[in-house]
Amino acid sequence: MHKHLRLALATAAAATLTGGLLTFSAATATAADSVHHPVADFNGDGYGDVAYSAGSATVGGKKTAGQIVALYGSASGVSSAKRSVISQNSSGVPGSAETDDGFGWVSAYGDFNGDGFDDLAVSAAYEDVDGDKDGGTVAILWGSANGLSGGTTLKDAAPSSHDRWGTTLAAGDFDGDGTEDLAVGSSSNRIYVFKDGITKTGTYGGRYSLRPPIMSGGDTGPLNLFAGDVNGDRRTDLVVDGYETDSADGWNTNYYVPGTASGLDVSYAQELKRGMVTGIGDVNGDGYGDIVTGQHWDPAKSGSGEPSVPESSIGGKVHVIYGSADGPATVKAVTQNSGNVPGASERGDYFGGELSLGDINGDGRTDLVVGAPGEDLNGVVDAGSVTILYGSASGVNTTSGYQYFAQSTSGVPGSDEEADLFGGEVKLTDVTGDGRADLTVGAYGENSGNGSVVYLPSNGSKITATGSRSVSPSAVGVSTDAYPMFGANAGN
């Protein structure tokens, strides 16, 4: 059986940083439902906030215990000045920092208790629980006027049935009743949905489960979950990424599961294009959320004897699957060879390895940012880059208006360095409160795995390097012992 995860970093050692991409990912779902905020605001000040992982951070001497860093927005964007750095050793947070827990790798925001402040669901999927190795835990960190603080454990619904509780998370209003729901994945293909809100005591309005047609057990189950309203009914839909069960190869595949009045209904699941990361947003402004999937892997080399993932392209690509009243509809593929998209498709670019959607210029259409963390620039291997393609009435515009950024771009902090993996995470969020999405870019390979987050603001019509800044782990109080890989993943 051939399994096609993104190339995983087996350890946080510097030598592994040239090996490929992380298996944890997230992308912003910008198609609105009835309750889920399109931008996270943990402290209720009207500025969007972002949460970036430092999942391999050493905490209290425990290597890879993990932390998560909330960067709070302001009129001047995000910086190290306004932040919360949270681990399982933080006051009020359940559990304690332990070696290899990986707290903070995966997170999802939503106002789960309905108090007007967004909260953050965070997992430690490799935490040992009551003697269960890698049983995993999920905690809800609570928003307040002072930002995120304290937390509550969301108990595993079936601890003996799987490992890695919280290996993937997604939030939204799946049944359209006006309260936030949370979907939780594990090593099983059974996804649990906690509905009708979650309280600070850990109670919830209800719970149900669904089983999409993906593999279960071991290193399978849902690899990623992404939420947004595709069919325009004001209920959140879910895209599930996992290994299909219809062929002997078990290819990585995405499935669309629509939200209904009774919640997510897997009986209406539709198979989509393959890809490890997904974003949902209204690219063409027609009122329906469009699904964008990143299929970053290369086809097998000629003569290798290995099969290729169906529809794979050298250098990677994204598929834009336009939404309609009936759900996913027409499809457009985009590579670095499409139209006038900057660069060229080259083996190992990982174009589509990360992506995000948001409205940069305020025209009511979401724009697309695509990371290519494996891009080689001027002889520098895996320096990384990001490409911005703007939405239009006809969909993603690949012929004009595009932008391209690397650390060698004038005004962008840093420089092209081997294995920086700039674009290893991208996130479009309005962190300045002007109604325009700004860009933050993770370069988790920076400084041999210490990582960094680069802020690039919108000037109202496009992303610009003017006013940009880099946020390092040491600046926010994350230890650089054993390579924390700060910026490898942003909450969805």
Side-chain angles (χ1 to χ4, degrees), residues 264-313:
L264 294 167
D265 192 338
V266 76
S267 67
Y268 292 101
Q270 298 179 42
E271 184 174 337
L272 303 173
K273 294 295 184 180
R274 291 169 174 82
M276 283 297 297
V277 295
T278 296
I280 302 175
D282 188 1
V283 175
N284 56 8
D286 64 355
Y288 301 106
D290 307 311
I291 303 170
V292 185
T293 63
Q295 184 172 333
H296 68 272
W297 43 73
D298 295 316
K301 291 183 178 180
S302 178
S304 69
E306 291 291 321
S308 293
V309 181
E311 298 186 89
S312 54
S313 298

Side-chain angles (χ1 to χ4, degrees), residues 5 16 31 159 163-164 173 175 196 266 316 358 427 475:
L5 278 167
T16 67
D163 288 324
R164 301 195 304 278
D173 184 8
D175 53 11
D196 302 338
V266 76
K427 180 81 172 176

Side-chain angles (χ1 to χ4, degrees), residues 322-389:
Y322 293 103
S324 73
D326 297 319
T330 58
V331 180
K332 177 179 181 177
V334 178
T335 72
Q336 285 184 292
N337 289 343
S338 299
N340 295 321
V341 175
S345 296
E346 300 163 319
R347 189 171 288 274
D349 280 351
Y350 300 126
F351 181 80
E354 292 295 344
L355 58 88
S356 186
L357 291 156
D359 187 359
I360 295 168
N361 54 14
D363 66 354
R365 304 182 182 100
T366 54
D367 308 307
L368 171 65
V369 175
V370 183
E375 184 99 316
D376 299 346
L377 297 169
N378 299 316
V380 180
V381 176
D382 294 341
S385 67
V386 296
T387 298
I388 302 170
L389 303 173

Side-chain angles (χ1 to χ4, degrees), residues 64 187 441:
T64 63
S187 63
V441 181

Side-chain angles (χ1 to χ4, degrees), residues 6 40 58 80 89 95 98 102 144 191 202 227 243 257 293 306 311 316 339 344 354 356 369 410 417 470-471 480 488:
R6 285 182 296 166
T58 298
S80 61
N89 281 357
E98 298 169 319
S144 72
I191 299 166
Y243 298 124
V257 181
T293 63
E306 291 291 321
E311 298 186 89
E354 292 295 344
S356 186
V369 175
S410 178
E417 297 172 314
S470 180
V471 180
T480 55

Side-chain angles (χ1 to χ4, degrees), residues 78-443:
V78 292
S79 69
S80 61
K82 293 181 63 178
R83 87 271 183 175
S84 294
V85 182
I86 300 172
S87 74
Q88 288 182 291
N89 281 357
S90 297
S91 177
V93 175
S96 58
E98 298 169 319
T99 301
D100 295 333
D101 278 356
F103 178 82
W105 271 124
V106 175
S107 62
Y109 76 87
D111 183 6
F112 299 113
N113 62 354
D115 65 354
F117 299 99
D118 279 311
D119 313 304
L120 190 67
V122 182
S123 70
Y126 290 90
E127 180 163 1
D128 299 342
V129 181
D130 297 330
D132 179 13
K133 181 175 174 55
D134 298 339
T137 63
V138 174
I140 310 295
L141 307 179
W142 301 109
S144 72
N146 295 318
L148 294 173
S149 64
T152 303
T153 296
L154 187 62
K155 290 185 178 180
D156 191 336
S160 64
S161 301
H162 54 246
D163 288 324
R164 301 195 304 278
W165 177 244
T167 194
T168 188
L169 304 166
D173 184 8
F174 302 117
D175 53 11
D177 68 352
T179 58
E180 196 89 42
D181 309 320
L182 179 66
V184 182
S186 66
S187 63
S188 166
N189 65 352
R190 185 176 294 278
I191 299 166
Y192 286 89
V193 178
F194 296 81
K195 67 176 185 174
D196 302 338
I198 302 167
T199 72
K200 288 188 177 183
T201 63
T203 61
Y204 43 85
R207 189 185 71 206
Y208 63 94
S209 67
L210 61 146
R211 297 182 69 178
I214 60 173
M215 293 183 185
S216 183
D219 292 327
T220 64
L223 306 176
N224 287 295
L225 300 174
F226 304 94
D229 181 13
V230 176
N231 58 11
D233 65 357
R234 304 290 287 175
R235 301 184 182 100
T236 310
D237 309 312
L238 191 69
V239 175
V240 180
D241 173 49
Y243 298 124
E244 49 86 10
T245 59
D246 294 332
S247 74
D249 289 305
W251 302 114
N252 178 281
T253 303
N254 287 315
Y255 295 89
Y256 163 77
V257 181
T260 71
S262 57
L264 294 167
D265 192 338
V266 76
S267 67
Y268 292 101
Q270 298 179 42
E271 184 174 337
L272 303 173
K273 294 295 184 180
R274 291 169 174 82
M276 283 297 297
V277 295
T278 296
I280 302 175
D282 188 1
V283 175
N284 56 8
D286 64 355
Y288 301 106
D290 307 311
I291 303 170
V292 185
T293 63
Q295 184 172 333
H296 68 272
W297 43 73
D298 295 316
K301 291 183 178 180
S302 178
S304 69
E306 291 291 321
S308 293
V309 181
E311 298 186 89
S312 54
S313 298
I314 288 176
K317 66 180 175 183
V318 297
H319 281 108
V320 184
I321 307 165
Y322 293 103
S324 73
D326 297 319
T330 58
V331 180
K332 177 179 181 177
V334 178
T335 72
Q336 285 184 292
N337 289 343
S338 299
N340 295 321
V341 175
S345 296
E346 300 163 319
R347 189 171 288 274
D349 280 351
Y350 300 126
F351 181 80
E354 292 295 344
L355 58 88
S356 186
L357 291 156
D359 187 359
I360 295 168
N361 54 14
D363 66 354
R365 304 182 182 100
T366 54
D367 308 307
L368 171 65
V369 175
V370 183
E375 184 99 316
D376 299 346
L377 297 169
N378 299 316
V380 180
V381 176
D382 294 341
S385 67
V386 296
T387 298
I388 302 170
L389 303 173
Y390 285 83
S392 72
S394 58
V396 171
N397 186 348
T398 60
T399 59
S400 63
Y402 48 81
Q403 293 184 274
Y404 183 86
F405 289 93
Q407 286 184 290
S408 54
T409 302
S410 178
V412 175
S415 59
D416 294 336
E417 297 172 314
E418 183 174 351
D420 272 357
L421 304 171
F422 182 78
E425 179 60 292
V426 290
K427 180 81 172 176
L428 280 171
T429 303
D430 176 16
V431 296
T432 59
D434 65 353
R436 307 291 193 270
D438 309 293
L439 176 61
T440 50
V441 181

